């Protein structure tokens, strides 16, 4: 049963990401917690699960000429660096606090 929920969640997140540009984490993390993962594992799983969506979306948008590669590189590096601080903060908090 949880595989069916995961597939439906993935499809819904993909559609929302494609239409509105929102990240799947807004759906993935609460659903994964509801499926029994703790918040730390749900967050990490969600981040990994959006990688294919990001890659396909970037590829498609680059075909239309909509990707500004220099800006994307700067934003990506800054986000990756800042994410390390977020990881450190999240790991210092309990699962209950993160929920």
């Amino acid at each position: 049963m949880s595989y069916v929920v995961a597939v439906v969640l993935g499809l819904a997140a993909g559609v929302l990401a494609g239409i509105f540009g929102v990240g799947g984490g807004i759906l993935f993390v609460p659903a994964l917690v509801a499926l029994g993962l703790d918040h730390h594992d749900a967050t990490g799983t969600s981040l990994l699960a959006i990688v294919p969506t990001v890659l396909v979306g970037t590829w498609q948008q680059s075909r239309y000429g909509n990707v500004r590669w220099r800006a994307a590189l700067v934003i990506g590096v800054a986000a990756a660096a800042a994410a390390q601080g977020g990881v450190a903060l999240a790991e210092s908090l309990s699962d209950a606090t993160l929920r």
Side-chain angles (χ1 to χ4, degrees), residues 4-79:
V4 173
V5 173
V7 169
V8 170
L9 178 63
L11 290 172
V15 168
L16 289 174
I19 293 173
F20 300 112
V22 299
I26 201 165
L27 296 172
F28 282 136
V29 174
L32 291 170
V33 169
L35 290 173
L37 270 67
D38 70 28
H39 205 281
H40 294 97
D41 291 338
T43 302
T45 302
S46 172
L47 290 171
L48 181 59
I50 66 170
V51 169
T53 303
V54 169
L55 294 175
V56 171
T58 301
W59 171 71
Q60 185 67 31
Q61 290 301 319
S62 71
R63 291 178 56 212
Y64 298 134
N66 295 335
V67 178
R68 304 296 176 253
W69 291 104
R70 177 172 281 165
L73 179 64
V74 170
I75 292 168
V77 169

